[in-house]
């Protein structure tokens, strides 16, 4: 029996101040520690479930367990257009380097004469590892300065379209001076130094300084969380339809929260013609077809790759895997930190196959915008939702071919 189709609604969040996001790790005393441009999955899910739970009258254990069944997709970075439409931005692919104003694709990593790699026993034979090249000719490449692209650029890159390096970070000073063509970056770091106040005297405590590393969003950029609460039994009052203020992240930072009908992530049908065209092109060039899976949100697999149960029965042939990210959190019930999770970062890419054409098209449609964490359990005892319900492991599936292997 097929699972019911999710009924996604869009929650639009407009930051009123720089947002502060943490991952449960220690805060460095001097340099603000913030690697999150968007709310972490648990932070986004917490805002959504708190908003829905307030209409139930009280947060009883039964209500809390029902709220764990609420699913989110995202969070996404969106650009608000003049016609009230939203342009979705997604994590840039990991198989990219920048050379001048051009994008350079990743290459198969070849070991030197005295180099070896220690691989897990579960690695398939002949697995290819990809990494962006360190140099093009004699010139060094560089990594992307801003880790998000418009979704259409991410898809075009995955389909093999060559393009210029469009999503570059602009200098804030030039934008403030109204230089022609310069704009604020979509998200800019803003660090603040605070002083602790003695509650009795109302004066500053000596040498009691601390900092917060915030993320300031440009005027036309927002955060979107897609919500599906159809699986939860929530019989209380619905959340307010009018915009309201909510706290998101740390330091009590506020966002203006507004609900919109329907999803933000585009349907598969809107990209089906280009996907079919790309498959036909690869077949006409006598290329084998592979499924290219790029993570759009962090993957909480408990491992370095998705579980086989979430994928069609095909062999993992290649991957481009950045370094893991560690997140923790706080368990209010146990009054202690949660277990550390090692997450596969967004932008990571896996290649599976080979496929025949109808099978590959069906796989792309089946996995489009879905979570590769489906089937992984949460921890109801500590009120931890399944990773798929918190939006982990959302994937962009596209047809591709394998990069050539290194010369023996």
């Amino acid at each position: 029996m097929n699972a019911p189709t999710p009924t996604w609604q869009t929650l639009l969040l407009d930051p009123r101040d720089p947002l502060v996001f943490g991952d449960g790790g220690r805060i460095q005393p001097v340099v603000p520690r913030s690697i999150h441009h968007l709310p972490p999955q648990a932070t986004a899910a917490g805002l959504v479930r708190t908003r829905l739970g307030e209409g139930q009258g009280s947060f009883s254990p039964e209500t809390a367990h029902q709220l764990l069944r609420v699913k989110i997709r995202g969070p996404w970075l969106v650009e608000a257009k003049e016609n009230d439409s939203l342009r979705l931005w997604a994590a840039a692919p990991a198989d990219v380097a920048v050379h001048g104003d051009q994008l350079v694709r990743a290459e198969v990593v070849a070991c030197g004469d005295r180099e070896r790699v220690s691989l897990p026993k579960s690695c398939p034979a002949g697995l290819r590892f990809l990494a962006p090249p360190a140099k093009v000719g004699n010139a060094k490449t560089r990594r992307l300065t801003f880790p998000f692209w418009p979704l259409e650029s991410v898809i075009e890159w995955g389909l093999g379209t060559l393009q210029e390096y469009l999503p570059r970070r602009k200098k804030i000073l030039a934008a403030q001076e109204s230089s022609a063509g310069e704009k604020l970056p979509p998200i800019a770091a803003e660090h603040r130094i605070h002083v602790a106040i003695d509650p009795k005297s109302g004066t500053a405590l000596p040498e009691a300084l601390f900092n917060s590393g915030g993320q300031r969003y440009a005027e036309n950029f927002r955060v979107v969380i897609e919500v599906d609460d159809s699986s939860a039994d929530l019989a209380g009052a619905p959340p307010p339809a009018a915009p309201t203020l909510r706290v998101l992240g740390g330091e009590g930072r506020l966002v203006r929260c507004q609900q919109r009908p329907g999803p933000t992530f585009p349907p598969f049908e809107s990209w089906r013609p280009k996907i079919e065209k790309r498959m036909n092109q690869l077949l006409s060039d006598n290329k084998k077809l592979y499924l290219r899976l790029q993570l759009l949100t962090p993957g909480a697999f408990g491992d370095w790759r998705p579980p086989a149960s979430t994928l069609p029965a095909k062999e993992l042939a290649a991957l481009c895997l950045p370094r893991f990210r560690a997140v923790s959190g706080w368990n209010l019930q146990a009054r202690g930190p949660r277990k550390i999770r090692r997450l596969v970062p967004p932008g990571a890419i896996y290649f599976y196959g080979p496929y025949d054409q109808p099978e590959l098209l069906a796989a792309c449609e089946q996995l489009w915008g879905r979570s590769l964490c489906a089937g992984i359990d949460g921890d109801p005892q500590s009120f931890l939702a399944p990773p798929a319900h918190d939006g982990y492991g959302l994937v962009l599936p596209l047809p591709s071919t394998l990069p050539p292997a290194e010369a023996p």
Side-chain angles (χ1 to χ4, degrees):
M1 180 180 295
N2 294 330
T5 301
T7 54
W8 296 107
Q9 302 292 315
T10 292
L11 206 58
L12 183 64
L13 308 177
D14 182 7
R16 313 309 296 168
D17 211 22
L19 300 179
V20 178
F21 304 128
D23 53 18
R26 290 186 176 182
I27 299 176
Q28 299 179 7
V30 179
V31 181
R33 182 181 184 274
S34 180
I35 61 172
H36 300 281
H37 291 82
L38 293 174
Q41 307 304 123
T43 302
L47 180 144
V48 168
R49 295 193 178 108
T50 300
R51 180 173 178 268
L52 292 172
E54 287 176 352
Q56 307 304 302
S58 65
F59 282 91
S60 65
E62 293 76 14
T63 298
H65 282 113
Q66 285 297 326
L67 290 169
L68 295 182
R69 303 175 67 177
V70 174
K71 301 175 184 178
I72 73 166
R73 192 162 64 173
W76 310 118
L77 176 66
V78 295
E79 182 180 1
K81 297 295 187 178
E82 293 180 356
N83 59 359
D84 205 34
S85 64
L86 300 175
R87 185 189 193 190
L88 194 151
W89 288 51
D95 61 343
V96 176
V98 183
H99 174 61
D101 285 341
Q102 300 297 318
L103 297 175
V104 183
R105 294 187 180 273
E107 300 173 344
V108 175
V109 176
C111 293
D113 294 336
R114 298 183 179 181
E115 292 179 325
R116 294 293 183 268
V117 178
S118 177
L119 302 176
K121 293 182 179 180
S122 59
C123 273
L127 181 64
R128 302 179 190 181
F129 294 87
L130 307 179
K135 287 186 177 182
V136 174
N138 294 325
K140 289 185 177 180
T141 62
R142 64 185 188 277
R143 296 300 178 94
L144 298 172
T145 54
F146 186 65
F148 297 94
W149 287 356
L151 179 63
E152 59 268 24
S153 297
V154 177
I155 296 176
E156 294 286 357
W157 176 264
L159 291 174
T161 305
L162 296 177
Q163 53 187 314
E164 296 180 354
Y165 181 38
L166 299 179
R168 70 173 71 231
R169 182 185 290 270
K170 301 296 185 179
K171 294 181 179 179
I172 296 178
L173 179 60
Q176 292 173 340
E177 293 175 349
S178 301
S179 298
E182 295 288 349
K183 297 180 180 179
L184 285 170
I187 306 175
E190 182 171 311
H191 300 158
R192 295 182 179 182
I193 302 297
H194 310 268
V195 60
I197 301 297
D198 187 335
K200 294 182 179 180
S201 64
T203 59
L205 293 173
E207 302 179 2
L209 297 177
F210 64 98
N211 60 64
S212 63
Q215 306 294 336
R216 178 175 288 279
Y217 288 68
E219 184 178 358
N220 57 328
F221 280 84
R222 312 281 190 270
V223 178
V224 152
I225 307 172
E226 293 177 281
V227 183
D228 172 29
D229 60 0
S230 59
S231 298
D233 184 12
L234 302 174
T244 56
L245 292 180
R246 293 276 170 177
V247 174
L248 179 64
E251 302 296 329
R253 304 296 169 85
L254 296 175
V255 294
R256 183 174 180 266
C257 180
Q258 183 177 7
Q259 184 168 316
R260 291 187 173 197
T264 300
F265 197 81
F268 177 77
E269 292 302 322
S270 64
W271 285 94
R272 181 190 289 269
K274 286 197 173 184
I275 289 175
E276 291 180 337
K277 180 180 178 181
R278 177 57 174 165
M279 285 193 292
N280 292 332
Q281 179 185 3
L282 291 174
L283 289 173
S284 65
D285 294 338
N286 296 320
K287 302 287 188 180
K288 290 185 177 181
L289 296 178
Y290 285 81
L291 177 64
R292 181 186 191 273
L293 297 178
Q294 178 189 328
L295 291 184
L296 300 177
T297 58
F301 307 129
D303 201 353
W304 55 275
R305 62 174 175 174
S309 60
T310 63
L311 298 167
K314 295 294 181 180
E315 190 78 2
L316 177 63
L319 75 160
C320 183
L321 195 64
R323 186 174 180 177
F324 73 87
R325 292 182 182 176
V327 298
S328 178
W330 192 259
N331 188 333
L332 290 175
Q333 187 180 30
R335 297 185 180 275
R338 291 190 181 275
K339 182 180 179 181
I340 293 176
R341 283 178 168 179
R342 289 192 173 192
L343 306 178
V344 179
I349 302 166
Y350 302 88
F351 294 85
Y352 289 85
Y355 282 82
D356 59 33
Q357 187 174 9
E359 190 181 20
L360 180 55
L361 183 63
C364 289
E365 184 173 9
Q366 175 189 354
L367 296 173
W368 185 263
R370 301 292 181 90
S371 173
L372 295 182
C373 297
I376 300 177
D377 295 330
D379 184 4
Q381 296 298 322
S382 63
F383 298 97
L384 189 66
H389 291 194
D390 283 352
Y392 284 105
L394 300 180
V395 70
L396 178 68
L398 295 171
S400 183
T401 187
L402 284 187
E406 67 272 19

